[in-house]
Amino acid sequence: MALKTLSAKAAAALDKELMSTGAFSIDQLMELAGLSVSQVVYRVHPLNKGSRVLVACGPGNNGGDGLVAARHLRHYGYQPTIYYPKRSKSDLYQRLAKQLEDLDVPFVEDFPSALKSTDHIVDAIFGFSFSGEVREPFPAVIKALEETKLPVTSVDAPSSWNIEEGPPKSGVGSSFQPEFLISLTAPKPLVKHFQGRHFIGGRFVSPSIAKKYDFEVPEYQGLDQIVETSPTGQKL
Amino acid sequence: MALKTLSAKAAAALDKELMSTGAFSIDQLMELAGLSVSQVVYRVHPLNKGSRVLVACGPGNNGGDGLVAARHLRHYGYQPTIYYPKRSKSDLYQRLAKQLEDLDVPFVEDFPSALKSTDHIVDAIFGFSFSGEVREPFPAVIKALEETKLPVTSVDAPSSWNIEEGPPKSGVGSSFQPEFLISLTAPKPLVKHFQGRHFIGGRFVSPSIAKKYDFEVPEYQGLDQIVETSPTGQKL
């Protein structure tokens, strides 16, 4: 069976539809997306194997998912640290950051030194709307993610990868291969280049929406907001 | 140790604070509250013991928590039916209802006949802001909940109970004793009259807020959004 993925264009249309006819608010979707991300981290990094997690957040929705995930991780007992150099001015993002500050979660500006005092990393820099080139200050961050021996969990896409084509042919990100990836709602075409453990999250899609966008709602178990698949998205 | 509970007045002030200085949106809080409710139902009513759940929703926030819980329950594999006779005109509630309609969850108007074809019930009629008298059409609904042999899970308060004083001294609700209760963020004083299984939910409160309002954040386990306590709220 052919792998069903969502192109960048289809993912953007789906998001738009969820928030219009689907009647979801962005607050609600981001809360559920971030919750999914936190569940992947909980599953792949048991608390007693290292509770320090560095969450690298980009300027858009992917970064927002990271902020929500960090809050849930803090409540689970992890010690998150946030790198969020290009803060969005939108009200929602400011509120998500404030919620973390109220939990005494530190925000740091020096990524290389933060890397030295964490056990694992969440890459919430760029998601399905990324295209073109990696802007400052992120090239050095992605290079550091590429070179670190610490495990990285990428949200929706390994940052710098083209959503359709996968890793860039050369330069920053070309050898970035995170250990873990969570695809939100459905895998994007880039998963054909992914070699780590892959999860799907976002247990809020109705069967009719999935049918319209021609992807499968995975078989979530119990209360899980995530399900593990093969690296490229097939049922295990 | 004295039991720490939140009076109706303190609960209202806490809600207001979470949404102002706490920086939460109502969409976000309601999503997390409803998620907690769904986890209680999942824990006390295993799917293979009866998947039909009738969710009775009141006109305010308690009803909104019920709508969110119903959506999560539908995704877990339950078959919810919604009784929601006094729909709020606010945008949020209309959206929560639409999300259920998109999952083909039926809304029914005849409560007694809906009771005949369900396995258990969620009482999301009135929460901590209830006081005074039960208005139409809810007296008959609460009487039916009082008389049914089916298990009822109440959200934040057994509907019709006074938040401070517990069950009314006479009339509708005076002998209402639900099997299950989930207190959101903290138990209300009425729990001293409650005799069933009690849970606390809402894993989003910061230690500083809890301290300010003089209640304990319970020790949630793993990814759980709920924790079981004694009927009156003490640690088990």
Side-chain angles (χ1 to χ4, degrees), chain B residues 69-84:
Chain B
R71 170 165 38 81
H72 286 289
L73 289 167
R74 176 71 190 76
H75 284 295
Y76 303 157
Y78 291 84
Q79 299 166 270
T81 294
I82 315 294
Y83 174 74
Y84 187 30

Side-chain angles (χ1 to χ4, degrees), chain A residues 47-69:
Chain A
L47 261 170
N48 58 7
K49 298 280 177 68
S51 63
R52 298 174 305 170
V53 51
L54 174 59
V55 183
C57 297
N61 286 356
N62 209 246
D65 297 339
L67 296 174
V68 171

Side-chain angles (χ1 to χ4, degrees), chain A residues 156-179:
Chain A
D156 227 20
S159 295
S160 77
W161 285 27
N162 179 284
I163 303 306
E164 260 68 50
E165 305 298 332
K169 298 279 175 272
S170 61
V172 164
S174 57
S175 64
F176 180 32
Q177 186 64 245
E179 279 72 4

